[in-house]
Amino acid sequence: MTKRQGEPPVRRAIVSGSVFEERIGYARAVVDGDRVHVSGTTGFDYAAMTISEDVVEQAGQCLRNIGAALAEAGCTFADVVRVRYLLPAREDFEPCWPVLRQAFGEVRPAATMMVCGLADERMRIEIEVDARRAPAGPGAGLRIAAVDGDAMVQEWRYVHNEIVPPAAMTPDEARDRSRRYRLENAYLGDTLVGCSTVRPPEGEGRVATVIARVLPAFRGRGIGAALYEAGLAHARGLGARAVETVVLAANADGLRFAEGRGFVERERYVLDGERDAWVDLRLAGHAS
C-alpha cells in the first residue's frame, strides 16, 4: 500500500517499555492504517514493573496501560470496537465489572471473556482491544472548549509547544496569550488532541488570525477542520473582513492543511536571531 503525504503511517509499532515486549518480541500496539491492535495487556505498572495482588486494581492498571497505547496511536477508548478479557479464575471477572464499565459502558464494543492460564501466576486479568481510528468531529466524540482557568491554559501551552517548539512558551507567556486572544482546546473524550488561537481583527483591513493545531498522532481525522471552522466563525463574529494564518515552514502537514482550505502563501520570513522559517498565509478571496 502506498502512503500519501500527510496520512497516518500505514503500519507503526508502539512500545510501552515492558520487559516482556523486549524479551518475547512484540509491540504493545500496532497501528495499521486506521486500525489499532493493542496486545494482551496485564496489570503491571511498566515504569516500576510491579503488579498489585488485587484483581480489580490490576484491571484498572490494564486499562491505564491500554489508554496510554491508544493515545499514542491517535485514538481513545471511544474508538474501541472489540475487547477480550482473559482470566485464570472466572470468579474474578464480576468484581472487575464496575471498572470495566467506566471505560466501555458508553462505547459498547463487542466483547469476549475467556478463562485460561496467563504467563505469570501474579497476573489475574489480561485485556486485549482492537480499535478503529474513525473521523472525529462535533457529535462524534470531539469536544472543543474555550480555554478557562490555568489548567486549560497549560494544556493549550502543551499542544502549542509540541507543534511549534521554536516558539515554545513559558507558563506566564501562555497566560498572557489567554488574556489577549481567544484560545480553545480540543478533546476526544478526556484526551487532549489539539488547540487553536484566534487573534482579533486588527488594522483598517480588519484582519484576524486563526491558527489550528493538532497533535501528530491525531491528524487526519477532521479535528483540525473542526478547530479551524470554530475559530473562523469566532473571527467573523468579531467583524473580521480578512483571515490569515501562520505556519512553521517545517510543518508540512500544517501547510497542506492551510492550502487545502484556500489559504495562499503571502510571505516567508525568519525572525531576528532565529533560524526557523515561518509562512504567513491569507484566505483566498479576501483583499490583500
Side-chain angles (χ1 to χ4, degrees):
M1 182 184 297
T2 301
K3 182 176 82 70
R4 294 177 296 179
Q5 287 188 329
E7 290 185 341
V10 172
R11 189 182 188 281
R12 176 166 62 95
I14 294 170
V15 296
S16 67
S18 163
V19 296
F20 300 114
E21 296 168 28
E22 180 63 26
R23 290 176 180 175
I24 299 172
Y26 69 97
R28 176 59 42 207
V30 172
V31 180
D32 186 11
D34 63 354
R35 302 285 177 175
V36 179
H37 309 280
V38 181
S39 295
T41 301
T42 61
F44 272 92
D45 177 341
Y46 296 132
M49 284 311 295
T50 57
I51 189 168
S52 170
E53 295 181 357
D54 182 77
V55 68
V56 176
E57 292 181 7
Q58 286 194 26
Q61 185 63 51
C62 286
L63 295 172
R64 287 190 289 276
N65 294 339
I66 290 169
L70 290 172
E72 191 169 345
C75 54
T76 69
F77 283 107
D79 298 303
V80 172
V81 297
R82 159 66 77 174
V83 57
R84 298 174 183 85
Y85 304 107
L86 313 176
L87 296 93
R90 60 173 51 87
E91 61 270 20
D92 278 348
F93 189 42
E94 187 169 352
C96 297
W97 289 357
V99 70
L100 301 177
R101 184 176 178 82
Q102 289 177 12
F104 300 116
E106 295 184 4
V107 182
R108 298 300 178 93
T112 301
M113 181 273 192
M114 292 179 281
V115 176
C116 61
L118 299 180
D120 186 316
E121 64 181 10
R122 293 173 294 174
M123 301 172 180
R124 298 180 64 183
I125 184 170
E126 183 170 322
I127 303 174
E128 172 187 338
V129 306
D130 295 318
R132 180 175 179 272
R133 290 164 39 100
L142 180 67
R143 176 171 56 92
I144 298 175
V147 168
D148 182 18
D150 196 59
M152 291 185 71
V153 169
Q154 299 314 321
E155 288 181 325
W156 179 94
R157 171 177 169 262
Y158 168 79
V159 177
H160 174 276
N161 290 358
E162 286 289 307
I163 303 303
V164 285
M169 293 185 187
T170 66
D172 285 342
E173 288 172 332
R175 293 185 191 100
D176 177 68
R177 188 67 57 94
S178 71
R179 290 188 285 268
R180 295 188 291 122
Y181 302 148
R182 166 82 172 191
L183 307 183
E184 293 185 329
N185 289 340
Y187 305 87
L188 277 178
D190 294 326
T191 302
L192 177 69
V193 297
C195 76
S196 66
T197 302
V198 178
R199 300 174 187 167
E202 297 178 341
E204 294 183 2
R206 300 291 293 166
V207 180
T209 300
V210 177
I211 304 171
R213 309 175 190 89
V214 178
L215 293 172
F218 294 90
R219 291 174 183 168
R221 301 184 62 183
I223 297 168
L227 276 167
Y228 165 71
E229 291 297 337
L232 186 62
H234 185 75
R236 287 173 171 163
L238 294 175
R241 294 200 295 267
V243 175
E244 294 184 346
T245 194
V246 58
V247 181
L248 186 66
N251 183 358
D253 285 346
L255 287 173
R256 280 191 293 271
F257 177 86
E259 291 166 353
R261 277 149 187 81
F263 282 87
V264 177
E265 182 175 332
R266 300 181 72 235
E267 180 184 11
R268 290 192 178 224
Y269 56 91
V270 176
L271 297 173
D272 290 343
E274 297 186 4
R275 294 184 298 177
D276 296 285
W278 298 85
V279 184
D280 282 346
L281 305 99
R282 177 168 291 194
L283 193 58
H286 292 285
S288 297

